[in-house]
Amino acid sequence: MSSEDQLRAREFVELHDQVQTSVHLLDSLESFLSTFQKDLSAVSGQISNLQDRSKDIDNRLKSRRRIEKPLSNLLVDLCIPPALATLILDTPVSEDWIPAIVELERKLDTLKLRVRVKAARDLSEVAEGLRIVAATKLRTFFLALLEPIRSSMTTNLQVIQSSVWMKYRPLYTFLQRHAPNVAHEVQRAYAAAVRTYFETGFRRYLRGLSWIKASPNFSRTTEKADNIANAPGESPDPEVDPARLLYARVDGPSVVMAYMADDKNHKEPLEALVRSALLVLMDNATAEYSFITTFFAHEPRPALPTKDSSGSIMSPPLLSPTNGDFEETRSNPGSDFGGESAAPRRRLTSITSVMSSGPQEPSAKEELAALNALWKQVMDPVLDYCQTFIQNAIEPPPPVVPLLTMIRLTEDVVSEVQRRNCGPLETFIFTIRLKMWPAFQKLMAENIDSLKKFAEGASAGYFRKATTTDAAVMSICRRYVTVFNSFVALTDQAEETMIFSNLMRLRQELSKLITTHTDKLGDPAAKARALSKYYEQLLQGLSNGPHPTSHPKAQSELAYWRQRDEEARRRIASTHGRR
């Protein structure tokens, strides 16, 4: 074999070795790629698992973030701030208690609503202790506020009510809701103290008015309830007094003060005393009714917020993370290891539904009845004193004009009481008014009957046996004018049967009296002149009265007597013509 062949054979051997080496390398690479493919498949599965776990963790994070703020507010609401506890436990009741008590009430309501929360149950004993301490201190505080009323009659009750009691009304509202027994005790103590205060004050005031009425200088000694035909021409004839007619209005003269009774020379007409008693009663009774119906009324509970938290002096108000119905997606702890998530849990009971388990507030009708009963309990002695005083004023009955003045006063007082919305006092005044009308009707019937008997010339125990005289008839005419002018001045309505029907009957009897008296004159001319004289007296008196001339009854009365006067003048003229 030649050297060339040997060299070529060596190259083939080397090439074969290289091919074998390449084959081995390719086999090794194939094995490595196969292993890498398996490893890559395993990594892909792990990445997919990590992605699933990442989504689950992300959902849990979103859920935690969604309830983070409500849960934080809830924890704040459940916690009682140390400043609140320190204020209630270590300080006396003051203005600082007003916002603190509002905050404590909010805490108590929140804890009652969160009875399912363990933290709320743990804090309930602490909150109950604060409630008891607050109720005890508030009881002492409110009872101490009554001491000035009990100790001195110079205390201005309305000022204390408006500037002190009403300022601390939120504290009493707290007692009504969370310590009703204490609230009832405070209410009873208030009623007893104010009842004594009013009873003493009105007893002294009405006693002073009675002294004025019993004084020898009292005008009633010369104002007996004489009828229109009693001793005419012998006693002074009454005249219309516009100043006294003003006592029929609430906005008339000032009331009689208590110290005036010390002056033995002080004079007041009867209607002025009755007016003073009614106006003082009206002002005090309506003011007390307004206070009672405002201070002791049950205030509805404020609605707890359900969405956004609002500002508070110590902590934000209740913010429910559940908003009534709340779904929380809770992940199963096993999900961290590839397990499935648990099903969502749903709260079935709404927070606001728990409110129905609390004490029910009284209805508006029941509450108004209770407040009216409380007012009546306070004012009962005062009403009895006033009723007795007015009863003594109209028995024996005064003259008919002062009596009608008092009736008109009661009507005006009723209107004012209605405007002030004091129902119990309106009923009381209306009852007094009903008692006055029969006395008025009785007086008018006596006047009509006396005038009728006077015209007939009968005595019947009323009059001395005597014939009528010109002076007596003229006196009766003046008295009639006074009664009519006063009645019309005291009557705003164009038609009032009780008033004008009696006046018409009285006018008929007066007309009969004038006719009967002038019939005694034999001369027709003298009779006509006498009739004209009486009619002129009546027309002059009616025209100069204080009543408005536009009043229909005043115009009708003037027309009636003017027609009679014209008839008398025609008779005079016809008599002179025949002569």
Side-chain angles (χ1 to χ4, degrees):
M1 181 178 294
S2 62
S3 59
E4 184 178 353
D5 292 333
Q6 293 178 350
L7 180 60
R8 188 174 294 174
R10 192 182 298 113
E11 290 177 354
F12 284 133
V13 171
E14 292 177 357
L15 181 60
H16 179 268
D17 293 337
Q18 292 177 359
V19 170
Q20 287 295 110
T21 301
S22 298
V23 170
H24 289 309
L25 288 175
L26 290 175
D27 291 340
S28 177
L29 180 61
E30 181 182 6
S31 176
F32 174 77
L33 290 175
S34 176
T35 303
F36 179 75
Q37 185 178 6
K38 292 179 180 179
D39 292 341
L40 187 61
S41 298
V43 169
S44 176
Q46 293 178 358
I47 291 175
S48 178
N49 188 24
L50 288 175
Q51 287 178 343
D52 294 339
R53 291 178 57 191
S54 176
K55 291 180 180 179
D56 182 61
I57 292 173
D58 186 59
N59 291 333
R60 290 166 57 192
L61 179 61
K62 289 180 180 179
S63 176
R64 297 298 188 270
R65 286 177 177 175
R66 187 170 62 250
I67 68 171
E68 178 182 4
K69 183 178 179 180
L71 183 60
S72 175
N73 290 331
L74 175 62
L75 294 177
V76 172
D77 283 327
L78 293 179
C79 294
I80 298 177
L84 175 61
T86 302
L87 180 67
I88 294 176
L89 294 174
D90 299 337
T91 63
V93 179
S94 63
E95 292 185 24
D96 296 335
W97 273 55
I98 297 176
I101 285 296
V102 174
E103 183 68 15
L104 175 62
E105 184 174 13
R106 184 182 298 114
K107 297 292 182 184
L108 292 172
D109 291 341
T110 303
L111 293 174
K112 288 180 181 178
L113 294 176
R114 297 296 185 180
V115 291
R116 297 177 60 185
V117 180
K118 184 178 183 300
R121 295 196 298 270
D122 294 340
L123 284 172
S124 60
E125 294 183 2
V126 177
E128 180 65 13
L130 290 177
R131 183 194 69 82
I132 294 174
V133 172
T136 303
K137 288 189 174 183
L138 290 178
R139 172 187 176 276
T140 304
F141 173 74
F142 280 113
L143 293 182
L145 291 181
L146 296 173
E147 192 58 32
I149 303 174
R150 295 192 182 104
S151 60
S152 176
M153 283 302 301
T154 60
T155 302
N156 193 321
L157 180 60
Q158 280 77 26
V159 171
I160 292 180
Q161 289 174 340
S162 60
S163 62
V164 180
W165 283 79
M166 290 306 299
K167 180 172 65 175
Y168 291 105
R169 184 171 182 265
L171 305 185
Y172 183 78
T173 301
F174 172 82
L175 293 179
Q176 284 182 315
R177 295 172 180 167
H178 298 279
N181 293 334
V182 177
H184 292 159
E185 181 182 358
V186 171
Q187 179 176 302
R188 290 193 299 269
Y190 172 87
V194 177
R195 176 189 175 99
T196 303
Y197 175 87
F198 279 125
E199 180 180 7
T200 304
F202 270 85
R203 184 178 66 248
R204 294 177 181 177
Y205 180 69
L206 295 179
R207 183 172 56 195
L209 296 183
S210 299
W211 285 346
I212 296 177
K213 186 163 68 72
S215 171
N217 296 317
F218 181 57
S219 58
R220 185 167 175 174
T221 57
T222 59
E223 280 190 349
K224 299 179 181 179
D226 293 336
N227 52 57
I228 193 172
N230 185 28
E234 300 178 8
S235 59
D237 297 328
E239 297 181 358
V240 179
D241 189 352
R244 292 184 61 172
L245 298 181
L246 294 177
Y247 291 118
R249 302 296 178 186
V250 170
D251 55 354
S254 58
V255 300
V256 178
M257 306 303 292
Y259 70 87
M260 295 178 180
D262 298 333
D263 185 3
K264 296 182 179 180
N265 296 321
H266 186 74
K267 298 180 181 180
E268 290 289 348
L270 178 63
E271 56 268 35
L273 302 181
V274 173
R275 177 177 177 273
S276 297
L278 287 179
L279 292 192
V280 172
L281 171 64
M282 179 185 70
D283 289 340
N284 285 274
T286 55
E288 183 63 23
Y289 186 79
S290 176
F291 173 78
I292 287 177
T293 54
T294 302
F295 186 85
F296 293 104
H298 285 80
E299 186 174 327
R301 289 177 178 269
L304 296 176
T306 57
K307 292 186 178 181
D308 297 331
S309 178
S310 58
S312 173
I313 61 167
M314 295 183 180
S315 66
L318 173 64
L319 180 62
S320 172
T322 63
N323 195 22
D325 294 329
F326 174 69
E327 294 183 3
E328 179 186 359
T329 303
R330 297 178 179 268
S331 60
N332 190 347
S335 63
D336 293 342
F337 304 96
E340 295 181 356
S341 298
R345 189 178 69 178
R346 180 182 181 86
R347 176 173 294 173
L348 300 178
T349 304
S350 173
I351 291 175
T352 55
S353 66
V354 186
M355 293 298 294
S356 60
S357 62
Q360 298 294 326
E361 295 183 355
S363 65
K365 185 176 181 180
E366 293 173 348
E367 182 177 16
L368 181 60
L371 294 176
N372 288 344
L374 177 61
W375 178 87
K376 195 172 186 302
Q377 180 183 355
V378 171
M379 301 302 297
D380 252 348
V382 174
L383 299 180
D384 291 340
Y385 287 143
C386 290
Q387 186 171 12
T388 301
F389 178 81
I390 295 174
Q391 191 71 23
N392 292 335
I394 63 177
E395 292 181 1
V400 65
V401 173
L403 180 58
L404 182 59
T405 302
M406 289 185 280
I407 293 175
R408 295 306 187 206
L409 172 64
T410 59
E411 295 173 353
D412 206 30
V413 169
V414 166
S415 299
E416 180 64 19
V417 171
Q418 288 176 344
R419 189 183 67 82
R420 299 185 186 185
N421 196 23
C422 182
L425 182 61
E426 178 186 349
T427 302
F428 174 77
I429 302 296
F430 189 77
T431 302
I432 291 178
R433 175 170 168 257
L434 290 180
K435 291 181 179 180
M436 290 182 176
W437 276 118
F440 173 82
Q441 182 62 31
K442 181 180 178 181
L443 281 179
M444 291 301 300
E446 291 177 354
N447 277 276
I448 295 169
D449 187 58
S450 66
L451 187 56
K452 180 178 180 180
K453 291 183 178 181
F454 185 83
E456 295 172 353
S459 57
Y462 281 96
F463 315 106
R464 296 185 302 272
K465 189 173 182 180
T467 58
T468 58
T469 62
D470 290 345
V473 176
M474 191 65 71
S475 175
I476 292 177
C477 288
R478 288 192 294 268
R479 293 179 182 182
Y480 173 80
V481 168
T482 299
V483 171
F484 183 87
N485 287 340
S486 300
F487 280 21
V488 173
L490 292 171
T491 306
D492 296 329
Q493 299 179 5
E495 295 291 339
E496 189 166 351
T497 304
M498 182 69 75
I499 300 297
F500 296 112
S501 63
N502 284 300
L503 282 177
M504 184 173 294
R505 292 172 58 197
L506 194 64
R507 184 181 69 184
Q508 291 173 353
E509 297 301 330
L510 176 60
S511 181
K512 291 179 182 179
L513 171 63
I514 295 174
T515 303
T516 302
H517 177 69
T518 55
D519 284 344
K520 298 177 182 179
L521 300 176
D523 186 4
K527 177 181 177 181
R529 285 193 297 269
L531 288 173
S532 180
K533 178 182 65 173
Y534 294 129
Y535 296 152
E536 285 181 1
Q537 177 69 25
L538 289 169
L539 288 171
Q540 182 179 1
L542 293 172
S543 300
N544 296 332
H547 56 78
T549 57
S550 60
H551 197 285
K553 291 301 180 181
Q555 295 176 355
S556 175
E557 188 72 11
L558 288 170
Y560 176 83
W561 294 112
R562 189 176 292 114
Q563 181 182 1
R564 290 300 183 93
D565 185 44
E566 291 174 355
E567 292 176 356
R569 290 179 182 276
R570 283 196 296 268
R571 291 177 186 174
I572 296 174
S574 63
T575 302
H576 284 292
R578 286 196 300 269
R579 290 181 180 180

